[in-house]
Amino acid sequence: MTFQIRAISIYNRDGEMRTVPFQAGSLNIITGDSRRGKSAILTIVDYCLGSDDFVIRGAALRNFVHVFALTIIKGDEQLFVARPAPVGKAATNTTFCVVSQARGAPPPDYASLTFSMPLDIAKKVLSQFTGIDLSVQLPVARSPRQLSPSVRHGLFFCLQEQNEVVRTFSFTDKWTTSTALPCERCSPTFSAP
């Protein structure tokens, strides 16, 4: 399974979009002041990759964001995945907009998004895109049933919470600034030399 997140986008109810781009092939680290949405990025990724619940905290995201989206890349392929925020007291929203795009294409505008793909199909499309063999069945502990792996199982190996990086990072290592993210709430991207 090899894919990278190229961008995370959010759309408000008026269709305005904000995007945080990532540099492909590099380690991207987002830093900044407390309560600016850094941890929400991990939750947005999880939600867009088919989470069964909506655990995005923070009034700004819950009250103003209408759609969460990811742009993911694998080789020359690019997939745009968008999922509406739950409505009212719903725990989640079970429809997606999944669009195959040319590599480097920007996220679509809000008016062109069509949310018609059910959650189970979206998970399969994402798993196939990332190279997961859907015919594999894994045993479930203390259960007679079996589990098919999905793209969400790979998240444990791909994303780290803020304290995981801090605990293992040695300040004697050399790190250099490579590119500043063009986002008013985000700090520079760093890459190892």
Side-chain angles (χ1 to χ4, degrees):
M1 170 173 66
T2 301
F3 73 100
Q4 295 181 331
I5 298 171
R6 184 173 166 263
I8 296 174
S9 302
I10 55 174
Y11 298 79
N12 69 12
R13 297 191 192 291
D14 296 327
E16 297 169 336
M17 176 182 54
R18 297 197 84 179
T19 298
V20 176
F22 294 99
Q23 189 171 2
S26 295
L27 171 66
N28 291 265
I29 299 174
I30 298 174
T31 63
D33 293 335
S34 296
R35 307 194 54 80
R36 294 291 181 205
K38 298 177 303 295
S39 296
I41 289 176
L42 296 176
T43 309
I44 291 169
V45 170
D46 187 39
Y47 185 67
C48 289
L49 292 179
S51 173
D52 290 331
D53 57 357
F54 180 74
V55 294
I56 295 174
R57 294 171 186 84
L61 285 175
R62 287 189 157 275
N63 296 334
F64 299 107
V65 176
H66 187 61
V67 174
F68 299 95
L70 290 180
T71 302
I72 57 176
I73 56 174
K74 180 183 80 170
D76 291 333
E77 299 175 88
Q78 179 169 302
L79 200 64
F80 174 80
V81 181
R83 188 174 186 188
V87 178
K89 299 209 183 250
T92 190
N93 195 310
T94 59
T95 58
F96 284 75
C97 172
V98 179
V99 179
S100 181
Q101 298 178 301
R103 173 92 185 244
D109 64 339
Y110 180 77
S112 65
L113 301 179
T114 304
F115 298 96
S116 58
M117 187 176 289
L119 174 63
D120 59 332
I121 303 299
K123 283 183 182 180
K124 287 180 182 176
V125 168
L126 286 164
S127 294
Q128 288 174 328
F129 179 82
T130 58
I132 293 174
D133 183 355
L134 297 176
S135 67
V136 172
Q137 294 291 305
L138 303 171
V140 176
R142 294 183 220 110
S143 174
R145 68 183 187 96
Q146 296 208 334
L147 175 71
S148 295
S150 76
V151 68
R152 295 199 64 247
H153 293 108
L155 291 180
F156 295 110
F157 304 106
C158 299
L159 303 173
Q160 291 84 36
E161 295 284 343
Q162 62 187 5
N163 293 335
E164 292 176 64
V165 173
V166 171
R167 282 192 301 261
T168 59
F169 179 72
S170 167
F171 284 99
T172 59
D173 294 337
K174 289 186 177 180
W175 291 84
T176 59
T177 302
S178 64
T179 307
L181 294 174
C183 172
E184 37 189 311
R185 289 189 165 203
C186 303
S187 292
T189 299
F190 295 90
S191 60

